[in-house]
Amino acid sequence: MRRLLTHFYVFLLLAIIGLGWSLEQVWRDYQPEIPPWFSALTQSVSSLTAQAESPDQLSEQIGLAVVVVGDGRVGWPEAEQRRLQQGEALPVFSADQSLYLYLKKDDVVWRIGPIADGTESTNYWYHLLFFVLLALLTTLWIRPLARDLHSLESHLNTFATDQSQTLQLPKRSLIQGLANSFNRMRNQIQHLLGLQRELTSAVSHDLRTPLARMKFILEMPDSPEVREALSENVEEMESLVETLLDYARLEGQEELLELSAVNLTELCENLAEKLEQLPGPPISLHLPAQCVVACDGHYLERAIQNLVQNARRHALAKVAVHIEPSPKHIQIHVDDDGSGIADHEKERVLQPFVRLETSRSRQSGGVGLGLTIVARIVEWHHGRIDITRSPLGGSRFTMTLPRRTQ
């Protein structure tokens, strides 16, 4: 919007200056010619002026207004001053095209006239021409703006029924920034609608399974085993709901990142100590003595934790965490010795609610959001995540983060 206002004021200023200068040149070229009878009148007035003792006396004799306007030394070019000194009469047209006669009497200049009235309507025509041309130029400036605004309005009117169309405007459009904001909003809405569909699909599948088991258990005679099974299903439902809500809360949190200097070595050591208390293969650490990077420690710890938990879930006996620092980047590798991931599945596994194990059983764990959360957190930190073959034989998840400083 600031660009639009600046462009408008600059255009208006240049239009006024350009039109004013052009019409002034035309005005100067349009100066009327001196009437043929003016030469005889000049000679007659010059002789009467030489005989007159005062401006009033001359005015009575010729029937024209006569006033003293100065001594002839200020406001006159040198050529006109010489002519006045030589006693010549100078004809001058005023702004309203009235004709005046200037003569020097003694040490002062007398102005006689107006001898012939100018046509004041000419001024009005020039003023009218100026405003008409200004209106025409303004219309030419507004027309593409109105066209682009109409395109924006049309897209907004059809947005409710069709979110796939992208608003395309010329690169020099004055509302290009507004169009870009609209396209970003459209992409965000499409993303949220996709998230809603994904959540609905996941809820319909993952929550119905424990609900069906709970209904079946309730039909059985009451016993400690039944109550224990019912409690397990309730815990599973709570975990599923918490995971779904947690993922939904992550949307739009990028602007809330709190970057600080975090020692990744210390973070990984503390995380491994905490996860070692849970069932699963041991975690082998290969870390530098110290590795400090500017990041959000809370979210980055969560990303590494999700990768380690995923590796322990699919590993046979080994899980390893490596940190490789470089001058520009920090790479965090999480390896396992499991069966690995097929090449055609590597991109899909990072998408929401995607699980390579389609049964979604409790033993295989999760609802397919852990790796998606990792990808989102890495994206927030302007990094990337890659999936390759691990030296241990399974999969290697590599987070590459820029080595920024606070």
Side-chain angles (χ1 to χ4, degrees), residues 225-265:
E225 292 79 8
V226 170
R227 287 193 296 270
E228 182 179 356
L230 187 62
S231 177
E232 291 178 357
N233 282 277
V234 170
E235 291 178 0
E236 180 182 355
M237 285 190 62
E238 288 180 345
S239 177
L240 289 172
V241 170
E242 183 63 29
T243 302
L244 293 173
L245 294 178
D246 202 16
Y247 177 71
R249 284 193 296 266
L250 282 176
E251 292 301 313
Q253 295 296 310
E254 179 178 2
E255 297 180 356
L256 302 180
L257 288 181
E258 297 181 0
L259 300 182
S260 60
V262 177
N263 187 350
L264 294 183
T265 298

Side-chain angles (χ1 to χ4, degrees), residues 169-220:
L169 294 180
K171 293 183 178 180
R172 296 184 179 181
S173 173
L174 295 177
I175 61 169
Q176 184 63 47
L178 187 59
N180 294 336
S181 298
F182 171 79
N183 288 329
R184 286 193 296 269
M185 179 194 70
R186 178 187 57 81
N187 294 334
Q188 182 66 14
I189 291 177
Q190 285 182 326
H191 174 71
L192 293 176
L193 290 175
L195 174 62
Q196 180 187 21
R197 289 190 293 267
E198 292 167 352
L199 285 172
T200 302
S201 175
V203 168
S204 64
H205 186 284
D206 290 282
L207 293 185
R208 283 180 178 177
T209 301
L211 282 174
R213 290 199 301 263
M214 291 170 67
K215 289 181 180 179
F216 176 76
I217 293 172
L218 290 175
E219 298 294 332
M220 299 174 63

Side-chain angles (χ1 to χ4, degrees), residues 21-35:
W21 181 84
S22 300
L23 291 179
E24 183 180 0
Q25 298 304 312
V26 174
W27 179 272
R28 289 179 178 178
D29 295 339
Y30 181 72
Q31 293 292 345
E33 297 180 356
I34 298 177

Side-chain angles (χ1 to χ4, degrees), residues 216-392:
F216 176 76
I217 293 172
L218 290 175
E219 298 294 332
M220 299 174 63
D222 188 18
S223 66
E225 292 79 8
V226 170
R227 287 193 296 270
E228 182 179 356
L230 187 62
S231 177
E232 291 178 357
N233 282 277
V234 170
E235 291 178 0
E236 180 182 355
M237 285 190 62
E238 288 180 345
S239 177
L240 289 172
V241 170
E242 183 63 29
T243 302
L244 293 173
L245 294 178
D246 202 16
Y247 177 71
R249 284 193 296 266
L250 282 176
E251 292 301 313
Q253 295 296 310
E254 179 178 2
E255 297 180 356
L256 302 180
L257 288 181
E258 297 181 0
L259 300 182
S260 60
V262 177
N263 187 350
L264 294 183
T265 298
E266 181 181 351
L267 185 148
C268 290
E269 289 175 348
N270 295 335
L271 180 61
E273 182 180 353
K274 179 175 64 175
L275 294 180
E276 285 284 7
Q277 302 175 8
L278 302 176
I283 304 172
S284 175
L285 299 178
H286 305 273
L287 311 174
Q290 186 175 6
C291 182
V292 179
V293 63
C295 63
D296 188 306
H298 168 72
Y299 283 115
L300 190 59
E301 179 182 9
R302 179 166 188 181
I304 299 174
Q305 176 178 319
N306 285 4
L307 289 180
V308 173
Q309 288 178 328
N310 179 74
R312 298 185 81 194
R313 186 180 299 120
H314 296 92
L316 298 176
K318 297 179 181 179
V319 171
V321 177
H322 301 257
I323 292 182
E324 294 183 3
S326 67
K328 294 184 179 181
H329 298 91
I330 300 292
Q331 287 190 323
I332 305 172
H333 307 288
V334 179
D335 299 308
D336 65 71
D337 62 347
S339 59
I341 301 175
D343 291 339
H344 67 279
E345 298 284 4
K346 290 180 179 179
E347 293 186 4
R348 197 171 71 91
V349 76
L350 298 177
Q351 298 176 3
F353 307 105
V354 172
R355 292 175 56 192
L356 303 185
E357 196 283 312
T358 57
S359 65
R360 295 180 181 262
S361 64
R362 284 183 294 174
Q363 287 73 21
S364 62
V367 293
L369 288 175
L371 296 180
T372 304
I373 292 174
V374 174
R376 188 63 48 84
I377 293 174
V378 172
E379 179 184 353
W380 291 348
H381 285 82
H382 305 286
R384 72 175 191 273
I385 182 167
D386 301 300
I387 305 175
T388 57
R389 191 70 178 175
S390 170
L392 299 180

Side-chain angles (χ1 to χ4, degrees), residues 7-8 45 48 64 69 87 105-106 124-125 130 179 185 204 228 253 255 284 314 332 353 360 370 384 396:
H7 194 280
F8 174 73
V45 171
L48 292 175
L64 298 172
V69 296
K105 174 71 173 179
D106 298 330
Y124 299 143
W125 281 110
F130 174 83
M185 179 194 70
S204 64
E228 182 179 356
Q253 295 296 310
E255 297 180 356
S284 175
H314 296 92
I332 305 172
F353 307 105
R360 295 180 181 262
R384 72 175 191 273
R396 163 172 280 190

